[in-house]
Amino acid sequence: MNASDLEIVEEYSVLGQRRYVVRIKGTNISFNVEASNAKEAIEKVLSLFSSG
């Protein structure tokens, strides 16, 4: 899995936190992560795959 396999589908703020919904392209699998920007959100999702 790499960054080109992921896409940002939503960005929003809640309680002062910026959150991103990141989806694996071509699937309905998505991840909701807190991050300061889109690049950090992608990196957080990628780290989920490398830590498992």
Side-chain angles (χ1 to χ4, degrees):
M1 170 95 29
N2 58 46
S4 65
D5 297 324
L6 303 172
E7 61 185 345
I8 303 287
V9 293
E10 187 177 357
E11 174 185 349
Y12 63 96
S13 294
V14 71
L15 299 174
Q17 291 183 340
R18 181 150 295 190
R19 302 200 59 90
Y20 292 85
V21 178
V22 182
R23 182 172 61 198
I24 300 173
K25 289 181 180 176
T27 72
N28 289 328
I29 301 169
S30 60
F31 302 88
N32 188 323
V33 295
E34 186 274 326
S36 58
N37 56 53
K39 182 179 179 189
E40 182 182 349
I42 297 288
E43 290 171 356
K44 283 189 172 187
V45 172
L46 289 173
S47 74
L48 292 173
F49 288 99
S50 64
S51 64

